[in-house]
Amino acid sequence: MTARATAKACANIALVKYWGKRDAQLNLPAAGSLSLTLAALVTETTVAFDPALAADELVLDGSAARTKETARITTFLDLVRGQAGISARARVTSTNHFPTASGLASSASGFAALAVAAATAAGLAATPRALSILARRGSGSAARSLYGGFVRMHAGHAPDGSDAFAEPITSRLLDKVRMVIAIVGGGAPKSHGSRDAMDHTAATSPLYQAWLDLVPHDLAAAEGALAAGDLPALGAVAEGNALAMHASAMAARPAVIYWQPTTLALLAEVRALRDRGIGAWATMDAGPHVKVLTSIEHADAVAAALRPLASEVIVSAPGGPTTVTAG
Ligand code: DP6
C-alpha cells in the first residue's frame, strides 16, 4: 500500500539574508533572516511512500535526478521516517513552475513542498512550527517558505534547534508590494552553491564577523519598517543588507563573486530609477540575478526599465503559504 501526498510551495527572497550557520549538522542559521514569499515561483512535489521500493527515487522536472540530489532527499526523508516510525522508501516527483529560467531560489520552495508532502504522506501530525523546523533541516531558506507574505526566521539559541523556526509577520505593506525579478545569463546554473559558499565565507572572510554583527540591526530596522508600513525604509535596509552579504562573500579567500557585468548594470538602473522618484530597491542572492522590491504602482515602470538589460523579467506578487493540494 502506498501513502501519498502532494504539496505546493512558493519560493521566497530574503530582504535580510541568511548567510552562515551555527551548526551544520542540524542546519542552524548563525543569525535570523527576513523574507518575502513570491507567488510567481512555485514548486509542486508529490511524495509516495511505497514498501515495494528498494531505494528512494527522485524525478525532478520530468527527469531522474542525479545521485547527489537523490542522496540529499534520502537524508531528509530519513528524518521524516524517523519521526513517523516508518521505513518505506519513497518516490518523489517535483516540478518547478518557474517561468523558464532556473537558478532562482528553488531549494526554498523545493524543501518546503517536500517537507509538507512527506510529513502528510507519512501521517505525521506536525504543527506549522514543527514543519518549519523540518523544512529547515532540508534548506535554511525553506523554513521561511512554509508561510506566505513577509516572514521572519529566528536563529534561536537551543542546541537542538527547537527554537530555530520561521513565523509570518503581518504588515499593511503586503497589499502594496511587488518583486521584479531580472534574470541574468539566461538562468545558467550558479557558480558556487549557497551552502558551500556561506561555509567558505564563514571560514575565511575577514568581513564575516562584521556581517554577523550587522544582521540584528538590519532585522530590527526591517521589522520596524514593516510595522510602520514604510516601503522606502524596508527597501533601503534590504538593498544595504544584500550588498553587505555580497561584500562578506567577495572578501572570502578565494573570493566568492556572484555578480556579472549585467548585475552591476541592473544595480545602476535601480539607482537611476530612484533618482527619477521611482521607489525600487535591489537584492541579490547566490547568483547574478537582481530582484527589485517596489510598489504595485511602480512595478510596470521598473520591469520596463530592467527588460532591455535582463534575459527575462518576472513581476511577482507576494505568495501564500505551503499547502497540501492532494493526498
Ligand atoms: C543567499 O537556504 O540555500 O539565498 O540551508 O545550506 O540549504 P542551506 O542554504 P540556503 O541559503 C540561502 C542563501 C541566500 C539568502 C537567503 O535566502 O536568506
Side-chain angles (χ1 to χ4, degrees):
M1 199 200 83
T2 53
R4 81 164 53 221
T6 302
K8 223 176 186 173
C10 297
N12 69 78
I13 299 297
L15 302 176
V16 178
K17 305 294 183 190
Y18 149 51
W19 196 248
K21 302 176 196 285
R22 68 180 163 91
D23 183 312
Q25 179 63 27
L26 293 173
N27 207 30
L28 294 171
S33 56
L34 190 150
S35 59
L36 178 63
T37 299
L38 295 184
L41 309 176
V42 174
T43 300
E44 193 164 14
T45 300
T46 300
V47 175
F49 288 103
D50 183 348
L53 289 173
D56 295 318
E57 295 173 4
L58 171 64
V59 175
L60 205 52
D61 291 327
S63 311
R66 288 172 304 179
T67 315
K68 194 179 162 203
E69 287 162 333
T70 309
R72 191 167 167 189
I73 297 298
T74 289
T75 304
F76 184 80
L77 290 175
D78 284 344
L79 290 171
V80 177
R81 284 187 278 258
Q83 288 182 20
I86 62 172
S87 58
R89 307 283 114 184
R91 190 173 296 108
V92 178
T93 314
S94 187
T95 307
N96 288 317
H97 301 285
F98 287 15
T100 63
S102 61
L104 291 165
S106 58
S107 78
S109 51
F111 276 100
L114 178 66
V116 171
T120 307
L124 268 184
T127 61
R129 179 174 297 190
L131 287 171
S132 176
I133 288 172
L134 179 63
R136 188 205 75 224
R137 298 288 298 269
S139 190
S141 53
R144 302 185 308 239
S145 272
L146 264 288
Y147 299 100
F150 294 107
V151 180
R152 167 76 203 266
M153 175 76 193
H154 301 283
H157 301 287
D160 67 354
S162 55
D163 54 0
F165 55 86
E167 280 182 313
I169 306 176
T170 53
S171 169
R172 61 192 162 87
L173 281 185
L174 194 60
D175 299 328
K176 297 188 164 64
V177 294
R178 288 290 180 268
M179 190 73 91
V180 180
I181 303 161
I183 307 294
V184 174
K190 46 187 167 183
S191 47
H192 316 264
S194 47
R195 179 160 292 189
D196 291 346
M198 69 172 76
D199 288 350
H200 175 65
T201 302
T204 70
S205 174
L207 301 190
Y208 182 65
Q209 187 57 47
W211 160 254
L212 287 184
D213 293 343
L214 171 74
V215 172
H217 298 282
D218 280 352
L219 283 171
E223 290 196 55
L226 286 173
D230 186 343
L231 183 57
L234 181 66
V237 173
E239 188 168 304
N241 183 267
L243 292 169
M245 180 204 110
H246 283 269
S248 75
M250 285 181 200
R253 299 180 185 193
V256 175
I257 303 176
Y258 287 111
W259 299 354
Q260 293 178 12
T262 306
T263 310
L264 286 165
L266 287 161
L267 290 178
E269 187 56 37
V270 169
R271 282 195 299 274
L273 282 163
R274 284 206 296 271
D275 289 344
R276 301 207 309 267
I278 294 179
W281 298 271
T283 183
M284 294 77 62
D285 294 288
H289 319 300
V290 177
K291 297 107 181 190
V292 180
L293 182 69
T294 189
S295 59
I296 292 175
E297 53 168 334
H298 286 144
D300 287 347
V302 172
L306 303 187
R307 206 162 270 130
L309 299 168
S311 34
E312 184 177 355
V313 171
I314 303 157
V315 178
S316 183
T322 302
T323 53
V324 175
T325 53

